[in-house]
Amino acid sequence: MQFIDQVKIYVKAGDGGRGCVSFRREKYVPKGGPNGGDGGRGGHIIFRASRNINTLLDIRYHQHYRAERGQHGMGKDMHGKNGSDMIIPVPMGTLVKDALTDEILSDLIKDNQEFIAAKGGRGGLGNTHFKTSTRQAPKFAQPGEPGDEQNLILELKLLADVGLIGLPNAGKSTLISAISSARPKIADYPFTTLAPVLGVVKAGRFKSFVVADIPGLIEKAHKGAGLGFQFLRHVERTSLLLHLVDISEMAEGDPVKKKKKKTGPPCPLLQKK
Ligand SMILES: Nc1nc2c(ncn2[C@@H]2O[C@H](COP(=O)(O)OP(=O)(O)OP(=O)(O)O)[C@@H](O)[C@H]2O)c(=O)[nH]1
Ligand SMILES: [Mg+2]
């Protein structure tokens, strides 16, 4: 299955329903007074983290979300129905960011954690609310408020305790398949792993931790070499990074003896005057 870890979406919460202008009309009750009901609230747009989802793939194919509007108020003091909320399931570890400012609005880490990304508009008040002793027949009501709308970026950062990093072919996938029941593809060519894989390692009877295997990293990955370094975000939040080094004869050179190469121009601040 394809692994998608960043998507841009547009959300629009439902508008509030209009308040109603209406008057009580009944036999033998002359000038019965106003009885317009309030409009209903528009539906919210809510993100809910779910442990059953692993990628943002579904959202990649559905990027516009609109929640239902609130029903308008009705006569006889009847309140309009609230618009139903739209709940968007996302994987655990999803960050919700404002697309314009890049500000992090929410970090959904726990299962079933919710975040209201756009609030539905408040329903307008019906004309019953505007009656006073001197204005006994108000012929107006409030309109509903518009629902919030936003452009958002959803970014998935996997939640793991240990991150496996290293050169391609170092044996990262082999290690995770030996210690957990994850079964990533293992082969003797570089860049076998194209998307992060999580494995749960049992430690003792009731304890366990999560290990993340990510694609191999090569020199100049920050300039886009190899698969780049985009997927490093998935090991950004781990409490431990495990750098796997291949010490077999197959590996290029001796990893211990290898001298540190100077890369890039020296930092001008560190140069002696
Ligand atoms: N001899 C030996 N071979 C190993 C060992 N660990 C892994 N290999 C072999 O090394 C090759 C690469 O292993 P992978 O686990 O796919 O390496 P990787 O780090 O996940 O590589 P990429 O996903 O391409 O970054 C496979 O052919 C493995 O069978 C080991 O401890 N000893
Ligand atoms: Mg691998």
Side-chain angles (χ1 to χ4, degrees):
M1 197 173 70
Q2 219 182 337
F3 183 84
I4 301 284
D5 54 11
Q6 200 170 32
V7 277
K8 196 173 169 186
I9 65 168
Y10 166 82
V11 293
K12 166 87 173 73
D15 297 336
R18 251 192 333 259
C20 173
V21 177
S22 159
F23 295 93
R24 185 171 169 203
R25 293 177 70 83
E26 227 173 287
K27 210 174 176 184
Y28 312 121
V29 188
K31 299 185 179 173
N35 71 353
D38 304 345
R41 171 179 69 71
H44 297 318
I45 301 268
I46 301 175
F47 290 109
R48 181 185 287 163
S50 163
R51 64 163 74 244
N52 301 322
I53 302 177
N54 304 315
T55 132
L56 294 171
L57 183 67
D58 292 344
I59 296 176
R60 162 65 58 92
Y61 293 124
H62 182 167
Q63 300 184 344
H64 290 239
Y65 292 87
R66 278 167 217 276
E68 204 184 22
R69 65 163 305 139
Q71 209 182 4
H72 299 312
M74 288 159 288
K76 288 195 183 171
D77 284 319
M78 286 189 288
H79 198 283
K81 207 172 129 211
N82 288 347
S84 43
D85 297 338
M86 175 164 270
I87 294 173
I88 308 171
V90 290
M92 280 157 66
T94 301
L95 287 176
V96 183
K97 284 185 182 173
D98 188 325
L100 292 178
T101 60
D102 229 26
E103 184 195 350
I104 297 176
L105 305 174
S106 174
D107 187 2
L108 297 155
I109 355 183
K110 286 193 205 119
D111 193 22
N112 285 327
Q113 189 182 336
E114 289 188 348
F115 169 63
I116 302 182
K119 280 203 172 125
R122 209 169 52 85
L125 297 176
N127 68 344
T128 354
H129 292 272
F130 305 106
K131 68 177 176 202
T132 57
S133 54
T134 52
R135 191 174 60 206
Q136 295 182 349
K139 292 193 184 68
F140 58 89
Q142 265 180 349
E145 285 173 12
D148 290 348
E149 65 185 310
Q150 281 213 73
N151 283 304
L152 300 171
I153 290 177
L154 298 185
E155 196 176 308
L156 175 60
K157 287 192 181 185
L158 293 181
L159 299 170
D161 304 299
V162 181
L164 286 180
I165 50 170
L167 284 171
N169 261 343
K172 301 181 292 298
S173 303
T174 311
L175 179 67
I176 200 172
S177 66
I179 57 177
S180 74
S181 50
R183 289 286 169 267
K185 190 172 165 192
I186 296 170
D188 60 357
Y189 57 86
F191 303 117
T192 322
T193 307
L194 297 173
V197 177
L198 292 183
V200 180
V201 180
K202 285 225 168 95
R205 225 173 132 193
F206 300 109
K207 280 188 195 159
S208 64
F209 60 91
V210 180
V211 178
D213 172 26
I214 62 165
L217 268 181
I218 56 173
E219 211 177 317
K220 298 210 173 93
H222 65 290
K223 289 182 181 162
L227 291 176
F229 68 146
Q230 297 302 320
F231 44 78
L232 275 183
R233 73 163 72 104
H234 299 297
V235 290
E236 225 173 67
R237 310 211 249 196
T238 58
S239 37
L240 196 77
L241 284 177
L242 190 72
H243 196 147
L244 216 67
V245 182
D246 186 357
I247 53 163
S248 70
E249 289 160 16
M250 305 263 289
E252 291 170 36
D254 190 331
V256 184
K257 275 188 192 161
K258 212 170 183 181
K259 272 186 194 163
K260 221 178 159 189
K261 258 197 287 178
K262 258 193 178 176
T263 47
C267 176
L269 292 175
L270 295 176
Q271 272 176 340
K272 281 177 195 162
K273 279 173 196 166

